[in-house]
């Protein structure tokens, strides 16, 4: 059976003044896959993510997500598509004045017509799912370690039981043990919940541990996509350097070992 395309991007262009970040970029994301997005600094990885989720409007192009043309649909249709996704930004991007539980409840308050007791129970379930202890729900972001903030951000991203999960540099700033634990959590959540994951990262260990396919942003477009093994055979200077450098060899050795 042919895989279903859940995100289709065609001819995407993003400009900031005279600076062109993306020029005629196209990319498909298939249901159930973990797609890693990599590229040099300034290649527009996070800009691409923000364009897909509707936080910025591209200069040109088309983005279809879950059957909805997110750039041209009505506000109601865009909101309905957005409710089927979850986004985790760098360092969790939690509301500092709210407890962890209140952070996880925030999307429910906006989208779900449920009572306070049900919201609390659903939030506590999400908090448990990401491996945080029950007492973490009463803590504030300032009380959390970096790894706990990441997990709390993931719990909030999962608040509405999304079909597509967007992760922006989820392991940045974590020590190797914490990063490995978070990679395992993402893999587990993907399998348990049937998620499609769009993952922006520079972490080769994360790519090796979690991704089915990797898209390389370069020259203002998706230069190439494929498995890590396929990308190791690509004849491009940046791609070769990235996937054959010391860190790439270490990530591959760790995976094999």
């Amino acid at each position: 059976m042919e895989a279903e395309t859940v995100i289709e991007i065609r001819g995407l262009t993003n400009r900031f003044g005279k600076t062109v970040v993306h020029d005629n970029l196209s990319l498909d994301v298939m249901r159930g896959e973990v797609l890693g997005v990599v590229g040099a600094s300034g290649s527009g990885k996070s800009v691409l993510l923000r364009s897909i989720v509707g936080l910025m409007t591209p200069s040109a192009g088309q983005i279809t997500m879950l059957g909805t043309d997110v750039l041209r649909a009505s506000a109601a249709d865009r909101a309905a598509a957005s409710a089927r996704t979850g986004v985790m930004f760098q360092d969790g991007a939690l509301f500092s004045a709210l407890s962890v539980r209140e952070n996880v409840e925030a999307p429910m308050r906006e989208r779900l017509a449920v009572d306070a007791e049900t919201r609390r129970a659903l939030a506590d379930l999400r908090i448990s799912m990401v491996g945080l202890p029950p007492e973490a729900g009463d803590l504030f972001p300032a009380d959390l370690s970096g790894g706990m903030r990441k997990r709390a951000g993931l719990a909030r991203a999962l608040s509405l039981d999304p079909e597509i999960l967007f992760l922006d540099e989820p392991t940045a700033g974590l020590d190797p043990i914490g990063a490995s634990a978070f990679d395992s959590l993402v893999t587990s959540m993907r399998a348990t919940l049937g998620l499609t994951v769009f993952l922006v990262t520079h972490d080769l260990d994360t790519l090796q541990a979690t991704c089915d396919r990797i898209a390389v942003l370069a020259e203002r477009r998706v230069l190439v996509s494929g498995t890590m093994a396929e990308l190791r055979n690509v004849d491009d200077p940046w791609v070769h350097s990235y996937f054959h450098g010391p860190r790439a060899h270490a990530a591959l050795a760790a995976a094999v070992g």
Side-chain angles (χ1 to χ4, degrees):
M1 182 182 296
E2 186 175 350
E4 176 189 358
T5 302
V6 292
I7 301 174
E8 182 181 282
I9 304 169
R10 295 291 181 268
L12 186 72
T13 298
N14 275 302
R15 296 189 186 91
F16 298 94
K18 295 182 179 180
T19 302
V20 179
V21 177
H22 303 134
D23 184 17
N24 199 31
L25 180 152
S26 295
L27 177 66
D28 289 336
V29 182
M30 315 311 291
R31 183 174 293 280
E33 77 170 338
V34 178
L35 176 72
V37 178
V38 302
S41 178
S43 60
K45 301 182 294 295
S46 293
V47 171
L48 176 59
L49 185 154
R50 290 173 176 270
S51 297
I52 298 170
V53 302
L55 291 178
M56 61 175 296
T57 302
S59 305
Q62 180 176 354
I63 301 173
T64 303
M65 182 171 65
L66 296 168
T68 298
D69 183 339
V70 298
L71 301 181
R72 297 169 179 81
S74 67
D77 286 344
R78 289 197 302 271
S82 177
R84 298 164 66 187
T85 70
V87 185
M88 178 189 151
F89 297 104
Q90 293 186 39
D91 200 37
L94 300 168
F95 299 116
S96 60
L98 300 181
S99 69
V100 169
R101 183 182 296 106
E102 290 168 336
N103 266 280
V104 178
E105 287 185 22
M108 301 181 199
R109 291 180 180 273
E110 182 180 353
R111 303 281 189 180
L112 300 182
V114 296
D115 59 70
E117 184 177 352
T118 301
R119 277 200 311 271
R120 182 185 179 93
L122 290 172
D124 286 344
L125 175 61
R126 301 298 188 272
I127 290 168
S128 174
M129 284 170 57
V130 301
L132 289 173
E135 57 270 22
D138 295 320
L139 300 178
F140 288 83
D143 301 322
L144 305 177
S145 67
M148 291 179 74
R149 280 196 302 274
K150 299 278 190 180
R151 289 173 183 261
L154 180 59
R156 188 177 64 184
L158 295 171
S159 177
L160 298 179
D161 193 19
E163 297 175 44
I164 304 175
L165 180 64
F166 294 90
L167 303 176
D168 191 1
E169 297 284 5
T171 57
L174 296 182
D175 62 78
I177 294 174
S180 178
F182 197 91
D183 290 342
S184 297
L185 177 61
V186 171
T187 300
S188 174
M189 291 292 97
R190 177 266 193 102
T192 302
L193 303 177
L195 295 167
T196 301
V197 182
F198 184 100
L199 189 160
V200 171
T201 188
H202 68 280
D203 192 326
L204 281 154
D205 291 322
T206 294
L207 293 173
Q208 180 68 52
T210 66
C211 294
D212 301 300
R213 192 164 57 97
I214 302 164
V216 178
L217 298 191
E219 301 175 14
R220 303 171 182 167
R221 59 189 175 89
V222 175
L223 181 67
V224 64
S225 66
T227 65
M228 182 172 279
E230 291 169 340
L231 295 183
R232 286 175 60 82
N233 294 319
V234 171
D235 185 18
D236 174 84
W238 189 89
V239 176
H240 186 274
S241 176
Y242 188 84
F243 289 100
H244 286 269
R247 294 183 67 188
H249 286 301
L252 184 61
V256 172

